[in-house]
Amino acid sequence: MNKLNNLNFTNTFIDLSPELYQAKSPDPVVEPYLVDFNPEGAELIGLDPVESRRPEFAEYFAGNKLLPGSQPLAMAYSGHQFGSYNPRLGDGRGILLGEVTNGNGHKWDIHLKGAGPTRFARGFDGRATLRSSIREYLAGEALHGLNIPTTRSLAIIGIRDLIYRETPELAAVLVRISDSHVRFGSFELFHYTNNPNRVTELADYVIRHHHPDIENESDKYQIFFRRVLHKTALLIAKWQASGFVHGVMNTDNMCVTGVTFDYGPYGFIDRFDPRYTPNHSDTNGRYALGQQAEIGYWNLSKWGEALCHLIDPEDILEELTQYQPTYNKIYRDLMGQKLGLGILDSEFTELMGNLFQLLHNNPVDYTNFFRALSDYPEGNHAGIFLPFSNRKEIEDWLDRYRRLIEREGTTFEERKQAMDGVNPKFLLRQYLLQRAIDKAVKEADFSEIERLRVLLQDPFRDRPDIFKKYNIDPEYYASDTPDSMQGMQLSCSA
Ligand code: AMP
Ligand code: MG
């Protein structure tokens, strides 16, 4: 484990052509303070967690001091936002400090979000609100806890200066960890400005660092595209199965390693509703739950266009035909796992279709329904029936489900254990997240952020000792979302 001043930095992005970035240090702030620190993030980058107790920790990660070995920069990119091309994006408030290699040889980007305006800021202040930083910080850890590919979080550093949105607000710097920050939009920028050499340079860079096994293949770009397509389909299938809605699936928020950035107005569904979007500004529901799989395809096709001088467009189209079947297969497997079923035949399809109808037509908590189902038929499953207005409908469904369980040849205990390992007991519900934000913003009490981080990093089981240490009441956190707080929405402003 390393100290702050001997993190193992390399800075490979800064060795690329200068058009790809602006070399820039973060802007200093007055008296930065630690809001929350994530020891799991520190472990990823080989940082001794004890270092978080030093006052220098906040100084380094607010950008007041430069970590030895880091060569900071803001990345250039463009992208499609809500279906329209925006030629001018880039890290307006983000600074990539460099990559840190941990003891296992894994390299992680360290990125500060809200570290002052860069040349891509377009007149904005280069800062991020404390509330939006808390949202993104916890999203990374909660998604990871659900085994969903994501960026991770190291810390939130509070800053004293107020920033101005609709009202004056507290600001913070989010310290984000990711295996890459190269986006679909990074390629789009150079494609649409007629600069194919930079597209090639970026593709070669990502292949060198993330797919070294194909570097010498004649069709390496096509294989690269295929792999990203597969990772994107996997990512979105996992979102769908867990009811996660990203809210802003613009191409500048999609990374070529199959993760997403910039968790803003995101949310998990309370009840099953394909039209749900947590993004209040998305009035057409472009990024609603039921649209995400198709948007993944749309974004990949936009990225494919940007690669058209590297890959024959016919071949890109051919690769794209694999998206839907790949996605369908993964999603079906995941839903099978949620139900504890491995035989995924036409009876399973029918069972799933009927279940979605039942969940849609009744006030059922999506997450807690699946969790409760693992107690059927032998455990205490009386609660399953409660939200259904027509008891016979759910009983009929359960009878058919039981027949499919019996075909599997697994014991009740085996199935329960497997189901409880994929259906979380705890979830980053909007109202829980909002409560953590309110406590932080109104009372400078950050304990709820810590509680949610600890709880959601392992959301599948009770951990009495840890719950006691952090004062976590499992029944409170495992409850359905109260009716008055169902389906919450947020605006994009942050
Ligand atoms: P995001 O919502 O974080 O994906 O941001 C979309 C684009 O707007 C990116 O180019 C950001 O860098 C930029 N941006 C958003 N807020 C700010 C801000 N306060 N200052 C500078 N740039 C910003
Ligand atoms: Mg973004």
Side-chain angles (χ1 to χ4, degrees), residues 126-238:
R127 295 291 175 195
T129 59
L130 173 59
R131 67 182 158 88
S132 70
S133 306
I134 297 170
R135 291 185 65 81
E136 182 161 359
Y137 178 83
L138 287 175
E141 293 314 295
L143 287 168
H144 177 74
L146 292 168
N147 299 316
I148 298 177
T150 178
T151 53
R152 301 292 302 277
S153 306
L154 178 66
I156 305 172
I157 313 293
I159 61 184
R160 307 266 171 209
D161 317 71
L162 292 179
I163 58 173
Y164 295 85
R165 295 296 181 262
E166 271 125 54
T167 52
E169 290 210 39
L170 291 169
V173 177
L174 171 72
V175 190
R176 178 163 82 191
I177 301 174
S178 181
D179 57 1
S180 171
H181 278 80
V182 178
R183 306 144 193 264
F184 290 7
S186 313
F187 292 84
E188 287 178 283
L189 171 64
F190 297 106
H191 170 69
Y192 290 108
T193 50
N194 211 4
N195 199 345
N197 292 343
R198 297 290 79 80
V199 175
T200 311
E201 186 178 0
L202 265 176
D204 288 341
Y205 172 80
V206 180
I207 290 172
R208 185 159 66 248
H209 289 282
H210 295 277
H211 307 277
D213 58 313
I214 58 168
E215 251 191 307
N216 298 321
E217 302 292 329
S218 57
D219 55 350
K220 61 183 172 182
Y221 300 118
Q222 191 174 342
I223 303 174
F224 172 41
F225 185 79
R226 187 180 307 150
R227 287 183 179 179
V228 177
L229 178 143
H230 189 275
K231 280 171 184 271
T232 305
L234 171 76
L235 173 74
I236 298 171
K238 287 193 157 206

Side-chain angles (χ1 to χ4, degrees), residues 250-484:
N250 295 333
T251 57
D252 61 304
N253 289 342
M254 312 267 305
C255 178
V256 296
T257 54
V259 300
T260 40
F261 304 106
D262 295 341
Y263 300 113
Y266 67 87
F268 289 91
I269 49 170
D270 293 304
R271 295 174 185 165
F272 180 72
D273 178 3
R275 289 162 312 170
Y276 172 66
T277 172
N279 187 347
H280 188 258
S281 321
D282 185 10
T283 41
N284 294 325
R286 179 181 171 87
Y287 297 144
L289 176 71
Q291 300 297 317
Q292 296 191 117
E294 203 178 316
I295 291 292
Y297 177 88
W298 194 89
N299 287 347
L300 282 162
S301 38
K302 288 292 152 197
W303 185 48
E305 275 177 42
L307 297 178
C308 66
H309 84 276
L310 294 175
I311 312 170
D312 185 329
E314 291 294 321
D315 290 334
I316 294 175
L317 289 175
E318 179 61 31
E319 294 295 336
L320 281 166
T321 62
Q322 289 310 305
Y323 176 82
Q324 197 66 43
T326 305
Y327 168 85
N328 286 347
K329 159 102 180 56
I330 301 171
Y331 179 65
R332 197 176 168 81
D333 286 349
L334 290 171
M335 293 312 292
Q337 286 169 24
K338 281 179 88 63
L339 290 169
L341 299 174
I343 303 170
L344 309 181
D345 57 2
S346 59
E347 286 195 65
F348 169 77
T349 308
E350 206 183 321
L351 187 86
M352 283 301 308
N354 291 339
L355 176 60
F356 284 134
Q357 254 163 21
L358 277 175
L359 293 180
H360 192 241
N361 294 342
N362 291 276
V364 187
D365 187 277
Y366 179 80
T367 303
N368 285 345
F369 174 81
F370 282 98
R371 183 76 184 189
L373 202 58
S374 69
D375 281 322
Y376 177 81
E378 286 171 37
N380 178 9
H381 61 275
I384 294 180
F385 302 103
L386 295 179
F388 292 89
S389 51
N390 182 341
R391 190 176 164 115
K392 183 158 182 337
E393 276 182 348
I394 182 68
E395 278 176 351
D396 286 350
W397 185 86
L398 285 168
D399 281 345
R400 271 178 293 142
Y401 176 48
R402 189 175 185 152
R403 278 208 307 278
L404 296 206
I405 293 170
E406 284 163 4
R407 295 191 310 184
E408 297 280 328
T410 45
T411 64
F412 170 73
E413 284 75 20
E414 283 166 349
R415 187 174 55 92
K416 177 167 172 55
Q417 197 185 6
M419 285 174 75
D420 286 353
V422 293
N423 295 311
K425 176 166 180 178
F426 307 107
L427 188 74
L428 187 57
R429 295 171 184 273
Q430 293 279 18
Y431 83 103
L432 294 175
L433 179 54
Q434 193 55 45
R435 200 162 143 264
I437 292 171
D438 288 343
K439 272 180 181 283
V441 170
K442 295 178 186 158
E443 300 167 34
D445 174 351
F446 307 132
S447 62
E448 197 58 26
I449 304 172
E450 178 179 61
R451 230 169 263 126
L452 288 178
R453 167 174 55 75
V454 168
L455 179 71
L456 297 169
Q457 281 176 338
D458 186 354
F460 296 106
R461 61 197 178 105
D462 286 308
R463 291 173 290 160
D465 293 346
I466 295 208
F467 290 0
K468 199 166 163 208
K469 176 173 169 200
Y470 290 96
N471 197 12
I472 290 170
D473 169 8
E475 293 323 308
Y476 170 76
Y477 289 99
S479 301
D480 290 4
T481 300
D483 280 352
S484 63

Side-chain angles (χ1 to χ4, degrees), residues 77 81 88-94 113 117 120-122 124-128 165 252-253 262:
Y77 53 85
Q81 297 182 309
R88 290 176 65 226
L89 288 167
D91 284 336
R93 54 177 167 173
K113 182 163 173 182
F120 308 108
R122 297 174 288 154
F124 297 114
D125 62 3
R127 295 291 175 195
R165 295 296 181 262
D252 61 304
N253 289 342
D262 295 341

